């Protein structure tokens, strides 16, 4: 049996995929995924009233290439910073799942291991583990620079954030990247249809004619975000030869023993982003610090010996993105994460949510919070839940 190298996998292209996308079986599976955890939502119930007819209508529209996404519902979320979230109609979310189910595996084969967001068997906990492994490597297992405390470990890190990432993604560049792997023009047409339904038109420009930006909230936006920044991943790993690099959506960290090397890499990365992807590093959120100062990543404060949850995550329930600040010896919770869980407890006290719901929320949040040194705060919140019975 022939062995396939990484180069073979990268170079391989795929065609004749579109029939799989619009097959009734795939659409039904996509519907099941899209409704997961949202069975009581009004748009889901409305779609399910005539489930077979609605799925057959989507099947027919996709097959005939007459499908057009419906207008987005836009709302503002403050968590704690203000975000403009765009919600697609449920039938469009079914289409998003149908597309991703067919092409996801193609791209996951070429993603680097340390791209941690929005992929099966990955996530923030993998990010935390990999970051701590890199902290061990760069500091030679916690070797300290000074006598003040055992957190004065060696090494530096570049923490960077891409400015207005989702609204700056260039459609033409993204589609050309996708075309390197997928040669089925009908799949490319569907990608174009999805991208054209975005909230970032301005002035007299129609949204369908705006050639950049993706709405926060769509499954496809999360998936396309990884495809787009896979270009950055390859540049950092294969051109800059950075060993200790990790990315979660548009936040990434590089660790190195030399501050000067990180300064040089930061300049080269910014030039690459400008020239190749029409993006730029956020000037206020991209910086170089000592590892001993702690590393804020995926919601934890990561120190060498422990990690603490950011307090903003304690007030979250059932969160998929936990907030820690990462120091070499420990990780700390952030304040806003604590408040979020307290908000859930207050709603339970006021009978706005049921006991089953608050316990489900607590268990989901607790699974992440236990990665930090947070025993006391977890015990306190659980005690408040029981006292409210």
């Amino acid at each position: 049996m022939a062995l396939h190298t990484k180069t073979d996998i990268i170079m391989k292209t795929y065609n004749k995929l579109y029939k799989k996308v619009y097959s009734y079986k795939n659409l039904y599976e996509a519907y099941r995924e899209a409704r997961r955890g949202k069975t009581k939502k009004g748009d889901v119930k409305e779609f399910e009233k005539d489930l077979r007819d609605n799925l057959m209508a989507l099947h027919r529209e996709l097959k005939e290439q007459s499908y057009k996404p419906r207008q987005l519902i836009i709302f503002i979320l403050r968590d704690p910073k203000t975000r403009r979230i765009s919600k697609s109609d449920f039938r469009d979310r079914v289409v998003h799942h149908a597309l991703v189910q067919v092409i996801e595996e193609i791209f996951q084969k070429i993603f680097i291991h340390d791209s941690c967001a929005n992929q099966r068997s990955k996530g923030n906990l993998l990010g935390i583990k990999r970051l701590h492994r890199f902290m061990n490597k760069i500091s030679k297992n916690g070797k300290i620079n000074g006598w003040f405390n055992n957190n004065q470990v060696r090494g530096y890190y570049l923490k960077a954030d891409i400015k207005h990432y989702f609204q700056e993604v260039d459609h033409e560049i993204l589609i050309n990247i996708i075309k390197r792997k997928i040669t089925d023009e009908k799949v490319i047409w569907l990608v174009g249809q999805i991208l054209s339904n975005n909230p970032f038109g301005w002035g007299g420009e129609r949204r369908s004619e705006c050639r950049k930006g993706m709405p926060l909230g769509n499954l496809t936006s999360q998936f396309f975000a990884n495809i787009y920044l896979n270009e950055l991943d390859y540049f950092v790993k294969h051109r800059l030869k950075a060993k200790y690099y990790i990315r979660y959506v548009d936040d990434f960290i590089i660790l190195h023993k030399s501050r000067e090397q990180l300064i040089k890499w930061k300049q080269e990365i910014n030039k690459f982003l400008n020239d190749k992807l029409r993006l730029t590093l956020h000037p206020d959120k991209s910086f170089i610090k000592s590892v001993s100062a702690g590393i804020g990543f995926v919601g934890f404060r990561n120190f060498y010996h422990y990690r603490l949850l950011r307090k903003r995550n304690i007030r979250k329930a059932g969160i998929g993105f936990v907030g820690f600040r990462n120091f070499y010896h420990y990780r700390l919770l952030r304040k806003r994460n604590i408040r979020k869980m307290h908000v859930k407890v207050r709603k339970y006290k006021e009978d706005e949510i049921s006991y089953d719901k608050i316990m489900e929320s607590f268990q989901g949040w607790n699974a992440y919070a236990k990665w930090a040194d947070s025993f006391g705060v977890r015990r306190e919140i659980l005690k408040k839940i029981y006292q409210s019975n």
Side-chain angles (χ1 to χ4, degrees):
M1 183 172 66
L3 296 176
H4 297 286
T5 66
K6 183 71 173 180
T7 303
D8 294 332
I9 294 171
I10 293 170
M11 296 298 292
K12 184 177 179 180
T13 59
Y14 297 81
N15 200 351
K16 299 181 180 178
L17 300 171
Y18 193 61
K19 284 186 177 180
K20 296 179 182 178
V21 174
Y22 70 73
S23 72
Y24 186 86
K25 179 182 178 182
N26 188 53
L27 287 172
Y28 182 75
E29 290 174 355
Y31 146 73
R32 294 292 299 272
E33 285 297 315
R35 77 189 287 270
R36 189 185 299 273
K38 299 178 178 66
T39 55
K40 295 181 180 180
K41 299 288 185 181
D43 55 350
V44 177
K45 290 181 178 180
E46 188 65 28
F47 189 87
E48 290 176 334
K49 286 181 181 178
D50 298 298
L51 178 59
R52 180 172 176 79
D53 288 345
N54 285 326
L55 289 177
M56 287 305 298
L58 277 178
H59 169 80
R60 183 171 58 255
E61 290 173 28
L62 290 169
K63 183 178 180 179
E64 296 171 354
Q65 291 184 268
S66 61
Y67 165 75
K68 290 184 179 180
R70 294 179 179 174
Q71 187 171 355
L72 296 166
I73 300 171
I74 299 172
F75 58 95
I76 303 299
L77 180 66
R78 294 178 175 84
D79 183 32
K81 62 183 178 181
T82 300
R83 296 179 185 271
R84 191 183 188 193
I85 307 297
S86 304
K87 179 183 176 183
S88 292
D89 189 88
F90 183 72
R91 77 191 303 270
D92 295 324
R93 299 204 298 274
V94 172
V95 174
H96 299 167
H97 279 272
L99 174 64
V100 171
Q101 284 174 178
V102 173
I103 69 173
E104 180 180 34
E105 187 176 352
I106 293 170
F107 288 95
Q108 281 194 328
K109 290 177 182 178
I110 64 170
F111 289 159
I112 66 167
H113 179 67
D114 293 310
S115 169
C116 298
N118 307 316
Q119 296 177 62
R120 279 175 285 179
S121 303
K122 292 189 177 183
N124 33 39
L125 295 186
L126 172 66
I128 293 165
K129 290 177 181 179
R130 294 294 289 174
L131 176 63
H132 202 65
R133 177 178 172 82
F134 293 165
M135 291 168 78
N136 284 338
K137 292 282 188 180
I138 205 65
S139 65
K140 297 184 178 179
N141 294 320
K143 186 173 287 187
I144 63 174
N145 277 328
W147 56 269
F148 185 71
N149 63 42
N150 65 355
N151 206 45
Q152 290 185 279
V153 293
R154 294 179 178 180
Y156 299 90
Y157 68 92
L158 163 64
K159 186 177 190 298
D161 175 275
I162 295 173
K163 187 177 181 180
H164 301 153
Y165 176 52
F166 279 88
Q167 70 187 68
E168 293 296 332
V169 169
D170 186 283
H171 295 179
E172 183 180 1
I173 294 173
L174 174 60
I175 288 174
N176 285 335
I177 293 170
I178 293 173
K179 280 182 175 179
R180 291 189 216 146
K181 296 298 298 176
I182 295 175
T183 57
D184 188 325
E185 288 299 324
K186 292 182 178 180
V187 171
I188 300 301
W189 168 83
L190 181 56
V191 170
Q193 289 294 102
I194 293 170
L195 289 175
S196 69
N197 191 31
N198 78 82
F200 296 114
W202 57 84
E205 185 178 19
R206 290 168 53 193
R207 286 177 181 169
S208 61
E209 294 172 353
C210 179
R211 301 301 296 164
K212 68 176 184 177
M214 302 186 298
L216 278 171
N218 281 355
L219 171 69
T220 45
S221 297
Q222 300 166 14
F223 179 61
F224 294 154
N226 271 338
I227 294 175
Y228 203 75
L229 284 186
N230 191 52
E231 303 295 299
L232 172 65
D233 297 342
Y234 275 60
F235 175 75
V236 173
K237 295 294 289 184
H238 300 296
R239 290 283 297 279
L240 301 184
K241 306 291 185 182
K243 283 186 178 181
Y244 308 121
Y245 165 80
I246 187 168
R247 180 174 62 81
Y248 194 96
V249 193
D250 61 328
D251 294 329
F252 63 89
I253 290 174
I254 306 176
L255 295 96
H256 199 271
K257 63 182 180 181
S258 167
R259 183 185 185 91
E260 288 69 30
Q261 181 65 75
L262 291 175
I263 292 171
K264 182 181 177 182
W265 280 348
K266 182 183 177 184
Q267 294 169 346
E268 292 183 56
I269 288 169
N270 209 23
K271 186 177 187 304
F272 172 83
L273 290 172
N274 273 284
D275 294 347
K276 301 297 183 181
L277 299 177
R278 298 179 188 171
L279 300 171
T280 186
L281 294 179
H282 198 298
D284 300 325
K285 298 179 181 179
S286 303
F287 50 82
I288 296 167
K289 286 186 177 182
S290 168
V291 170
S292 62
I295 306 175
F297 189 59
V298 291
F300 285 74
R301 295 178 65 194
N302 288 278
F303 297 81
Y304 185 75
H305 287 302
Y306 59 94
R307 61 182 77 89
L308 299 176
L309 267 170
R310 291 178 174 178
K311 292 185 180 180
R312 66 179 176 184
N313 286 331
I314 298 185
R315 61 186 176 91
K316 278 190 178 180
I319 49 178
F321 187 90
V322 270
F324 289 67
R325 191 176 171 202
N326 301 276
F327 289 76
Y328 195 86
H329 291 285
Y330 53 94
R331 297 178 177 88
L332 300 171
L333 269 168
R334 287 192 167 175
K335 290 181 180 179
R336 59 182 174 183
N337 296 325
I338 297 172
R339 289 196 300 269
K340 281 195 173 182
M341 195 62 220
H342 283 305
V343 168
K344 288 285 186 180
V345 174
R346 178 179 56 76
K347 287 184 176 181
Y348 171 60
K349 286 182 178 179
E350 295 171 359
D351 293 327
E352 293 181 31
I353 58 176
S354 67
Y355 176 78
D356 289 342
K357 182 65 177 176
I358 188 63
M359 289 307 297
E360 178 185 346
S361 296
F362 175 78
Q363 287 166 8
W365 172 81
N366 184 61
Y368 292 101
K370 69 182 181 182
W371 281 82
D373 294 271
S374 59
F375 176 77
V377 74
R378 288 186 286 125
R379 182 176 60 180
E380 176 193 349
I381 288 175
L382 188 59
K383 183 178 179 181
K384 285 185 177 181
I385 293 172
Y386 287 144
Q387 286 175 344
S388 301
N389 282 337

